Amino acid sequence: MAKTLTKPLSQLSTELDNTRDQISQPPLVTGGKTFGNITEIVARVAEHPSAPKAWYVAFAGAVMLFGLLFAMLAYLISTGVGVWGVNTPVAWGFAIVNFVFWIGIGHAGTLISAILYLFRQKWRTGINRFAEAMTIFAVFAAGIFPLVHVGRVWVVYWIFPIPNQQQLWPQFRSPLLWDVFAITTYLLTSLLFWYMGMVPDLATFRDRAKTKVRKIVYGLFALGWRGSNRQWIHYEKAYLLLAALATPLVLSVHSVVSFDFATSQLPGWHTTIFPPYFVAGAIFGGFAMVVFLAVPARELFGLKNLITLQHFDHMNKIIMATGMIVGYAYAMEFFIAWYGGNPLETFTFENRATGPYAWAYWIMVTCNVFIPQVFWFKKARTNLWVMWIVSVFVNIGMWFERFVIVVSSLSRDFLPSSWDYYTPTWVDLCTLAGSFGLFFFFFLLFCRYMPIVAIAEVKGVLPEAHPGHGAHAAAEAKA
Amino acid sequence: MEATVSAMAHSHGITPEQLRKDNPFMGELAKIGPIALVVAVVLFAIGYLMSGADEHQRFFFSYIHNYVFFTSISIGALLFTLVNHVARASWSVVIRRIPEFFAGSLWMMGIAGLPILIMVLTGKVEVYEWVNIGSWIHGAEQQIVQNKEAYLNTTFFAIRYFIYFAAFFLFGRAILLNGSLKQDNQPDGDEKDRGTMRMWQLSAPGLVFSFLLMTFFAIDMIMSLDPIWFSTMFGVYYFAGAMIGFFSTMILMFKWLQSTGRLKEAVTVEHYHDFGKFLFAFVFFWGYIAFSQYMLIWYASIPEETRWFHIRQNADWTPLSWLMLFGHFALPFAFFISRYIKRHNGLLAVGAVWMLVLHWLDHFYQVVPEYQRITGVQPGGGLGAAFDISEIICLLAIGCFWFGAFMVTAGKNPIAPLGDPQIAKSLKFDNVKV
C-alpha cells in the first residue's frame, strides 16, 4: 500500500490500484471488449459442445454427493430421527446448523442484485447472475433440513394454513412458522428476480441457437423477448421495483431465522442484536461463497475480462466489513453477558470460550474475525489464491458460528443433570456432505446451460453504452 | 416537471471554476458562531440557576437528553464522512464539507458534556444511580450493580469520556477536516491525490473505531441511566437515530445556505434526492432495529429487560410509545417513499423538520422516563406534565453551542471542498444518468 503512494499517478492508473482507479473510473470490463465480444464470451460457455474437463470431474463428484443425500434422507425417513446425533438437551443438532448455514449462503445473491442495484454499484453486473443462482440453490439445500427434522415429513404440509379434517391450525406465535413464510417469500422473489433478469440473455441464446431443441427450450423461457424499446422500458421498471421489494427481504429472512433463537429465553440465544448480526453474518458467508465459486469459474470459463480483480477487490472489502460487523456482535454479546449480570448468561459465554465446545468457538472466531483481517492489504484482496483460501475459512467459520450458537447453548441448559455432549453421527456428516452435492449439482448445471454472466447488464456498464460517450462527449469537450 | 427543469439546468453540472464563484463561503454568517457560543453559556447559566429546587436533578435529565441528541447528529456526520471515504464516493464530494465541519466540531461536544462529567465525578446529583451504589440503589439491585462496578465507576467513565472525544478529534478534526481543508488551495497533482488516498486509507480503521466508540458512548450516556437494563442492540439503535438526525440536518442546512445565496448552482435537486433516499433508508432501518429490540424483549419477557419498556408504554408515557411507532416510523416511511417528495425541496424540508422533532422525542423517550423511575414521581397529568421548562432551555443552550461550534469551525473556510480531486466529477452528479 505504501508503495503505491510513492508512485506518480500516471503510472498508477495503469496498474490495478483501486484507490487511484476510482478517480479515473477504471473500466469494469477489461481487454477492450466490445458488445459483440461480451455476448461471445458468455454464450460460448453454453454453446460449446463440451465443457472443460474440470467441469465433468466436479459434476461427477456433485452427482455422487447428491446421491448420498438421497440415500441419507431415505435412511432417515425410513428409520427415524434417531439416526442423527440429536439428544436431550441438544434437540437441534446438525439439521438446524445446516439450515441456517445454507440460508446464510443464499443472502449474497439478493444483496448483490437488489441492494447494490439500488446503490448504483455497477460492478455488481459481472457477478450478480451466478450469485443469484447460488442463492436459489442454497435455499433449496436449506429447505430440506427443517422439512426432514419435523419427523413425519409426509405431513409437512401442515405447516401451511390449509384447512384440514383434523382442524389443525399452525401456531402463528411461533417464529418457526414465520420462517415458513419468510423463506418461501424469499425463494419466490429471488427466483423471479433471477429469472426476470435472465430473460434478455435467454433471448440472446435463443437467437444464437443452432439446434431445434435449443431453439425451442430457450425460446420458451425467453417469453417472446424481442428487445424492443418498449420492452426494455417495462423491463427496467419491473427490475427496479423488484429490487426495491427484495431489499427488505434481505433483512427480513435472516432476521426471522434469528428470531427462531432470539425469542427464546435460552442464554446465548436470547439477545437483541441477533437480527442485524445474523443478516451481516449471512452476507459475510454468502460473499465468501461467491468468491469461492467465482475464482475457479472465471478461470474455467474464460471470464477474466468480465469478472476482474477489481470485482474481487470490492467483494473482499465487503467480506472484511461484514466480518467485522459479526466481530462487533460477538464482542457486544460478550460484553453484555457480563454487563447484564445474569449469571446464566455469563456462564454460557464463559462456557463457549472455555467449555467442552471451546474448540468450535475458537475455530469460529479465528475464521470469521481474525483471518479476514488479511484483507486490509490490497495484495491479499487481489490475490486469487489468498482470497480463495480465506473464502474457504470464512465458510467454515460461518458454519461453526451456527454450530456454536445451536449446540453450545443447548448442551448446557438450566438443569445440570440434563447436560450432555452432542456428537454428530455418520448420517449427520453424510447429510451435510450431501447438501453440498445438491448445491453443486444445480450450480454446475446452471454454469453449463444458462447465461452465467448478465450479458445485457454488463454491456450497460461499458462506456459506449452511455450517451456521454463518443461524438457527443467529444463535442462537449470542445465546447 | 421539476425533474425536467433540473435536468435542463444541471444536466452538465458546473465546473470547479464556476463553483468558486458560487459563493462558497460563510462570509458574514460566520459571525453567528461566537455569538451562539456566548448565548449557549448564558442560557446554560439561566437554566442551571433556575433549577436549584431539586438539586438540579430534573435539569440534568433535560441536559443529557439534549446533549445526546445534538451529539448524535455530529456523530452521524463523522460516520457519513468516513464511509464516503471508504467507499471512494464521488457524488458526495460537493456536499461533504458540511458533514466535515460537523465531524470536525464533534470534539467540542466534549466541552458541552463537561457539566455531565462534573456531575458524575462530584456524585451529588442522583442521575446515574451507579455513581453512588451504596445509597442510591437498594435491595437486590444493589448487588447486581455492584457486580458491574468494574465498568460503571466514575473514574473509568471519565477516562472513556476523554477517549471518545480525543478519538473524535483525531478522526473528525485532525484527519478528515484538516486533510480536506489542506486540499482547498493546493495545486492539482500527486501531493493532493496523496492527501485523498491518506484520508481513504485512514477512514477504514476510523470507521471501525468510531462505531465502537459511539456504541460505548450511547451505553454510558443513555443505557446506564438504568444500571440494571441492558440490550446488545443499543449501540445500533443509537446509530440508526443518529443517521436520521444527520440527514435531516443536512437537508435543512443546505436549504438554509442556499436561501442565503450560497452554493446555489453546485447543490442541486439530485443531492436533495439522495439525502431523501438516505433518510428514507434510515427511517426503515430505525424501524427495523427498534422493532427487533422491542419484539425480542417483549417476546422473551424477562423482567430485567422488560422493565425499560414497561415504564415507557404505561401510564403517561403510552402516547409517546405510539408516537414512536407511527410518527418515527410508519408515517415518514409512507411519506419519504415518494420520489416526488424527495425531489421537492419544500416537502422534503417539512419531512426533515418532522424527523428532527421525532428524533429529539426519541431521545426524550430514552432518557426522561428514567427520571420518573428514580424519583418515583408520577407526572400524573399526562405526557405534558413529564415535560419541564428545562427541556426547552437545554434544547436552546446545547443547540446554540452545537451550532456555534459548527460555525466557528467553518469560519473563513470554504463550505465546499473546492480542491478535492474528485470535485469536477462530483459537480456532474445526476441521479437520472447513473
Side-chain angles (χ1 to χ4, degrees), chain A residues 1 5 8-9 19-20 22 173 255 259 263 265 270-273 275-276 328 336 338-340 376 476, chain B residues 12 88 147-148 151 190 193-194 200-201 204 215 223 230-233 288 295-296 299-300 304-305 425:
Chain A
M1 207 175 270
L5 280 177
L9 296 171
T19 48
R20 183 60 218 158
Q22 290 296 318
R173 277 172 290 186
S255 297
F259 292 162
T263 52
Q265 295 181 331
H270 173 70
T271 183
T272 50
I273 206 170
Y328 171 87
I336 294 291
W338 172 81
Y339 178 94
W376 281 103
E476 205 179 302
Chain B
H12 300 298
R88 281 80 171 113
N147 291 340
K148 305 184 185 190
Y151 184 82
D190 293 0
D193 289 349
R194 268 200 288 274
W200 284 352
Q201 286 165 348
T215 302
M223 200 170 96
F230 53 88
S231 168
T232 41
M233 189 76 110
Y288 164 64
M295 195 279 283
L296 291 175
Y299 200 113
E304 59 260 40
E305 290 185 342
K425 191 171 149 198

Side-chain angles (χ1 to χ4, degrees), chain A residues 93-105:
Chain A
F94 259 40
I96 300 298
V97 175
N98 297 341
F99 160 68
V100 183
F101 171 76
W102 280 115
I103 286 285
I105 297 297

Side-chain angles (χ1 to χ4, degrees), chain B residues 342-364:
Chain B
K342 288 194 287 271
R343 292 179 79 90
H344 188 292
N345 212 315
L347 287 171
L348 187 63
V350 170
V353 171
W354 175 264
M355 284 323 296
L356 271 184
V357 172
L358 265 290
H359 178 48
W360 186 78
L361 285 172
D362 183 21
H363 280 306
F364 180 74

Side-chain angles (χ1 to χ4, degrees), chain B residues 88-340:
Chain B
R88 281 80 171 113
S90 58
W91 76 273
S92 62
V93 169
V94 62
I95 53 95
R96 210 184 59 216
R97 185 54 57 82
I98 301 300
E100 280 171 354
F101 286 148
F102 278 120
S105 60
L106 174 55
W107 69 274
M108 290 170 80
M109 293 309 282
I111 300 170
L114 285 178
I116 300 171
L117 185 64
I118 293 165
M119 181 264 295
V120 165
L121 289 175
T122 50
K124 294 223 172 75
V125 192
E126 188 179 349
V127 175
Y128 293 101
E129 291 160 290
W130 51 263
V131 168
N132 196 342
I133 300 170
S135 51
W136 291 346
I137 305 178
H138 310 283
E141 290 184 0
Q142 199 173 37
Q143 187 54 49
I144 295 172
V145 182
Q146 205 99 57
N147 291 340
K148 305 184 185 190
E149 221 183 342
Y151 184 82
L152 291 180
N153 66 72
T154 53
T155 317
F156 193 24
F157 181 88
I159 293 170
R160 288 196 303 270
Y161 187 88
F162 177 77
I163 293 172
Y164 301 145
F165 288 98
F168 292 153
F169 179 84
L170 176 71
F171 291 118
R173 174 80 218 191
I175 294 173
L176 295 180
L177 180 59
N178 287 359
S180 179
L181 289 175
K182 200 177 151 200
Q183 292 179 325
D184 283 343
N185 292 310
Q186 219 171 6
D188 285 343
D190 293 0
E191 186 61 27
K192 179 188 266 184
D193 289 349
R194 268 200 288 274
T196 291
M197 281 186 231
R198 186 168 159 269
M199 286 191 279
W200 284 352
Q201 286 165 348
L202 291 174
S203 286
L207 196 58
V208 176
F209 283 114
S210 301
F211 200 91
L212 271 177
L213 294 172
M214 176 206 67
T215 302
F216 286 99
F217 177 78
I219 290 174
D220 286 357
M221 286 287 161
I222 311 173
M223 200 170 96
S224 79
L225 281 169
D226 180 346
I228 302 289
W229 188 71
F230 53 88
S231 168
T232 41
M233 189 76 110
F234 202 75
V236 187
Y237 184 72
Y238 187 75
F239 162 71
M243 297 318 286
I244 288 176
F246 166 70
F247 286 112
S248 305
T249 306
M250 288 295 277
I251 291 164
L252 298 176
M253 203 58 143
F254 277 104
K255 198 166 161 49
W256 174 62
L257 287 172
Q258 289 194 307
S259 75
T260 64
R262 289 168 172 81
L263 300 179
K264 281 184 85 101
E265 296 295 319
V267 178
T268 70
V269 66
E270 306 299 334
H271 298 105
Y272 286 105
H273 189 184
D274 268 15
F275 292 145
K277 287 187 225 170
F278 268 120
L279 193 48
F280 171 70
F282 277 100
V283 162
F284 186 83
F285 184 73
W286 182 91
Y288 164 64
I289 295 299
F291 169 77
S292 300
Q293 178 170 266
Y294 179 83
M295 195 279 283
L296 291 175
I297 288 175
W298 167 79
Y299 200 113
S301 203
I302 298 171
E304 59 260 40
E305 290 185 342
T306 51
R307 56 184 269 149
W308 200 81
F309 287 112
H310 190 77
I311 304 175
R312 284 164 178 76
Q313 68 186 46
N314 283 305
D316 295 332
W317 299 98
T318 316
L320 195 56
S321 287
W322 286 111
L323 188 63
M324 284 300 118
L325 174 59
F326 289 102
H328 202 307
F329 172 65
L331 195 69
F333 177 80
F335 183 81
F336 288 115
I337 206 167
S338 156
R339 182 177 190 272
Y340 177 80

